[in-house]
């Protein structure tokens, strides 16, 4: 079933695109991540231009985040005050990211930069996840429990001025910390098409020191509005959002998330995290190979 993508300016197999969305949806349901950090690389591997892949993946993450926000809101798992500060930073970050995107696009390096960012982020985060998972599995087998980490924000955060009370997160910190964190995630969302949850959640836990009960919900709240701003910014500045591509991805991801949730209920969380780490590292290695591989024929000429 061939479908023409007007913005990407190519025809693709619609079932393959829906399948890619389903894969990221299954991973989202199994591991509790938005899946945007895998959607973009998978589309690039399939042949979608990186700029279109990043812009369209952001709009898909927006749709996928809505149901998660509603669920977390019902259970009281969203710190709206903290989330709103991070959303403000995220909107500023999307503006900065748009300027960087246009600059890199003008000098012809945007595709390379997107790939390098993915290799660096996925490689480092996948490595840390794999290390923690292996340690947890070894401790589980030996019967020795790993000491729980004390929840405390980073010393630099404690030194920032103008402290506010974030009651639901159990924090008394400066709003500049979550504002800056949101800004960084906004820049990455604009450049890479990710929701940022796989970066945001660890940062909220280990840098801000937020309560684990509200981390996922607050992260989804920030991701929802940041990806909305990113989609609008892409639509106005880069014109790289392909609504046909995003719709097919969203259809697949919503369906796949239900399947992934069923798998997650029957599997060990520690082993699931190790599987996710391996998948992330494999994607990073594949993208690194794509950056260094030189084809036999750099240029080809084919008759129309």
């Amino acid at each position: 079933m061939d479908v023409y993508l007007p913005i990407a300016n190519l025809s693709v197999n619609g079932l393959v695109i829906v399948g890619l969305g389903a894969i990221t949806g299954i991973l989202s349901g199994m591991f509790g991540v938005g899946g945007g950090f895998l959607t973009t690389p998978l589309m690039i591997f399939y042949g979608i231009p990186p700029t279109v892949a990043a812009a369209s993946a952001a709009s898909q993450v927006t749709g996928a985040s809505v149901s998660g926000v509603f669920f977390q809101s019902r259970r009281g798992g969203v710190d709206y005050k903290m989330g709103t500060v991070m959303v403000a930073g995220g909107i500023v970050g999307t503006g900065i990211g748009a300027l960087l995107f246009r600059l890199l696009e003008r000098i012809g390096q945007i595709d390379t930069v997107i790939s390098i960012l993915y290799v660096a982020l996925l490689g480092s985060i996948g490595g840390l996840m794999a290390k923690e998972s292996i340690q947890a599995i070894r401790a589980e087998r030996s019967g020795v429990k790993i000491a729980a980490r004390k929840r405390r924000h980073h010393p630099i955060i404690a030194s920032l001025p103008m402290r506010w009370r974030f009651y639901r997160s159990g924090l008394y910190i400066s709003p500049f910390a979550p504002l800056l964190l949101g800004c960084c995630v906004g820049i990455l969302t604009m450049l890479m098409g990710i929701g940022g949850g796989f970066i945001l959640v660890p940062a909220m836990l280990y840098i801000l020191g937020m309560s684990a009960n509200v981390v996922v919900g607050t992260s989804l709240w920030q991701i929802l509005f940041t990806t909305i701003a990113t989609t609008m910014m892409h639509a106005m500045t880069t014109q790289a959002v392909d609504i046909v591509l995003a719709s097919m991805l969203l259809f697949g991801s919503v369906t796949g998330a239900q399947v992934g949730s069923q798998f997650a209920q029957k599997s060990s969380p520690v082993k699931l995290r190790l599987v996710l780490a391996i998948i992330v590292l494999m994607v990073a290695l594949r993208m690194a190979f794509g950056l260094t591989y030189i084809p036999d024929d750099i240029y080809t000429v084919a008759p129309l």
Side-chain angles (χ1 to χ4, degrees):
M1 185 182 72
D2 288 341
V3 177
Y4 179 70
L5 303 179
I7 303 301
N9 195 27
L10 53 84
S11 294
V12 296
N13 188 317
L15 295 177
V16 172
I17 298 299
V18 172
L20 292 179
I23 290 171
T24 55
I26 290 171
L27 295 175
S28 176
M30 289 178 66
F31 306 115
V33 295
F37 69 99
L38 289 177
T39 305
T40 304
L42 289 175
M43 285 194 291
I44 293 172
F45 298 160
Y46 184 62
I48 306 294
T51 50
V52 177
S56 302
S59 57
Q60 181 237 353
V61 172
T62 300
S65 300
V66 173
S67 60
V69 169
F70 278 126
F71 173 77
Q72 293 293 335
S73 180
R74 284 197 300 269
R75 61 175 288 273
V78 181
D79 185 335
Y80 292 103
K81 186 176 181 180
M82 176 70 76
T84 301
V85 173
M86 288 196 291
V87 166
I91 292 173
V92 173
T94 58
I96 297 172
L99 294 175
L100 290 173
F101 198 102
R102 292 301 296 273
L103 174 63
L104 293 168
E105 200 173 35
R106 194 175 296 118
I107 63 177
Q109 297 299 320
I110 184 62
D111 293 355
T112 303
V113 170
I114 288 175
S115 297
I116 291 173
L117 284 173
Y118 267 104
V119 170
L121 285 173
L122 296 185
S124 57
I125 291 174
L128 290 172
M129 287 174 61
K131 179 182 177 182
E132 288 186 359
S133 300
I134 292 171
Q135 289 176 344
I137 291 173
R138 286 178 176 174
E140 192 177 79
R141 290 179 177 176
S142 63
V144 179
K145 291 185 178 180
I146 298 176
R149 182 186 182 277
K150 292 183 179 180
R151 186 170 67 86
R152 185 182 179 185
H153 47 261
H154 195 276
I156 296 177
I157 305 300
S159 65
L160 295 174
M162 289 177 57
R163 293 188 178 188
W164 289 4
R165 291 196 182 277
F166 298 93
Y167 292 100
R168 195 169 289 276
S169 296
L171 292 177
Y172 181 53
I173 61 173
S174 169
F176 292 117
L179 189 73
L180 183 59
L181 178 60
C183 183
C184 293
V185 171
I187 293 172
L188 292 175
T189 301
M190 190 70 193
L191 291 176
M192 302 170 65
I194 61 175
F198 73 108
I199 300 172
L200 193 58
V201 170
M204 291 163 75
L205 283 170
Y206 302 127
I207 297 178
L208 298 184
M210 288 177 61
S211 170
N213 294 330
V214 297
V215 163
V216 173
T218 307
S219 170
L220 285 170
W221 176 262
Q222 195 268 355
I223 289 169
L224 173 61
F225 289 98
T226 301
T227 51
I228 288 173
T230 299
T231 302
M232 293 176 63
M233 195 72 70
H234 269 299
M236 291 186 296
T237 59
T238 67
Q239 290 85 45
V241 179
D242 196 311
I243 192 64
V244 177
L245 176 61
S247 299
M248 290 190 294
L249 287 170
L250 184 58
F251 176 78
S253 64
V254 169
T255 306
Q258 306 303 316
V259 178
S261 299
Q262 298 298 320
F263 279 118
Q265 294 174 5
K266 302 175 183 178
S267 306
S268 166
V270 175
K271 292 179 181 178
L272 282 177
R273 195 163 67 237
L274 179 59
V275 171
L276 179 61
I278 293 171
I279 293 172
V280 169
L281 288 173
M282 288 175 63
V283 172
L285 288 172
R286 171 61 182 81
M287 295 205 78
F289 175 76
L291 282 170
T292 56
Y293 173 73
I294 301 176
D296 295 331
D297 297 319
I298 299 178
Y299 300 101
T300 59
V301 178
L304 295 175

